Amino acid sequence: MTVTQDLFREDSYLQQCEAEVVALTEQGIVLDRTVFYPLGGGQAGDSGELERVGDGARCTIVDARKLKNPEDQPTQAVAHVSAPGEPMPLAVGDKVIARIDWGRRHRMMRLHTGTHLLAHLVGAPVNGCSVTAEGARVDFAMSEGLDKELLGQGLAALVAADHEVTVSSISDAELDANPGLVKSMSVQPPRGTGRVRTIRVGGTEAGQGSDAVDYQPCGGTHVLRTGEIGAIVVSKIEKKGAQARRVVVSLAD
Ligand SMILES: [Zn+2]
């Protein structure tokens, strides 16, 4: 089975890496390692380009997805989707530089980290989440209304506090023993390797401490400190049913 080493999980700030083309599939180009985040956990897939080492031949990448097996289940490989209608010059065995559209990704990292702050501020179970470069939305399972002003002020305060954002992991068994860590009803924690990646905003090791903001399993890409989120605003709060409130946030720069 093909596995793509996902460098972005350890270091979300990697903008490019060297890699080898290991397969060309109908779903996309598969590399042995990548900095491209594949669509998942609500976060959109990265775009960018692959550049062949040697002659510099380029291939525009419009999206990245988890490669699916014949049973239509996602695998541990990443399919880099080339631009439709453009020539695709790569062959298996080619060495390439895989380079993401960093401006777009960094916006998604800021917005994604912002959704963790929202989860803390609202404090209700999350029933859906979407992060793109244009904005993020989080659906909360709750019947009470939300105050747009107050939420916006809460976000600004957490950004100003410049909390540290730390990537760590716990074992599947530890997660099973602490089901309360999972705040999302719609996104399953990123299991599969025996360990589950966790994201902590503020606080100490186990998400404790007086400045603890949020601690939950998450496979996405985040900024290193909440200050880096910068100018984030609540653009809309929608009632999506008796038990659902949608909060939409965007970047003001
Ligand atoms: Zn996250």
Side-chain angles (χ1 to χ4, degrees):
M1 194 182 72
T2 310
V3 172
T4 306
Q5 192 191 350
D6 44 10
L7 303 175
F8 53 84
R9 301 235 191 254
E10 286 297 314
D11 183 356
S12 296
Y13 288 81
L14 282 177
Q15 299 180 30
Q16 61 177 55
C17 71
E18 280 193 37
E20 183 177 330
V21 177
V22 292
L24 299 175
T25 75
E26 281 185 5
Q27 298 170 56
I29 301 152
V30 182
L31 305 176
D32 62 344
R33 59 213 294 263
T34 194
V35 291
F36 281 72
Y37 179 85
L39 169 78
Q43 185 178 326
D46 279 323
S47 57
E49 64 175 10
L50 305 181
E51 179 188 336
R52 185 159 56 205
V53 175
D55 67 356
R58 281 162 200 258
C59 176
T60 305
I61 301 300
V62 294
D63 196 6
R65 300 286 178 103
K66 286 180 184 158
L67 186 74
K68 294 201 172 152
N69 65 18
E71 288 77 46
D72 211 34
Q73 297 301 311
T75 69
Q76 302 289 323
V78 177
H80 302 74
V81 183
S82 59
E86 279 184 27
M88 206 295 288
L90 303 176
V92 171
D94 279 358
K95 298 275 193 297
V96 296
I97 306 288
R99 189 179 295 123
I100 55 171
D101 178 341
W102 173 246
R104 179 172 177 270
R105 155 71 88 70
H106 190 243
R107 292 179 73 80
M108 290 199 276
M109 284 164 56
R110 292 167 63 197
L111 285 160
H112 185 136
T113 311
T115 66
H116 285 246
L117 305 187
L118 271 183
H120 162 72
L121 290 168
V122 174
V126 173
N127 198 18
C129 176
S130 155
V131 179
T132 69
E134 285 68 50
R137 63 168 170 76
V138 185
D139 291 332
F140 292 100
M142 62 190 300
S143 50
E144 313 88 78
L146 286 166
D147 188 319
K148 190 175 157 184
E149 247 353 66
L150 271 181
L151 263 189
Q153 288 167 9
L155 280 177
L158 289 168
V159 169
D162 199 23
H163 292 288
E164 192 182 23
V165 180
T166 315
V167 180
S168 188
S169 71
I170 56 174
S171 67
D172 285 356
E174 284 173 282
L175 180 61
D176 290 336
N178 295 282
L181 288 180
V182 181
K183 296 181 180 169
S184 174
M185 301 152 68
S186 58
V187 176
Q188 287 303 307
R191 291 178 189 256
T193 59
R195 293 198 72 77
V196 179
R197 189 169 178 270
T198 57
I199 299 297
R200 172 169 65 78
V201 183
T204 55
E205 262 312 287
Q208 308 298 314
S210 57
D211 68 334
V213 177
D214 185 58
Y215 179 63
Q216 60 175 300
C218 185
T221 61
H222 311 79
V223 291
L224 285 170
R225 304 195 69 91
T226 58
E228 200 176 329
I229 298 170
I232 190 168
V233 292
V234 178
S235 34
K236 216 183 332 181
I237 292 177
E238 292 175 280
K239 186 173 178 178
K240 302 297 280 186
Q243 296 290 328
R245 297 291 182 278
R246 171 171 291 180
V247 181
V248 182
V249 290
S250 54
L251 298 174
D253 56 6

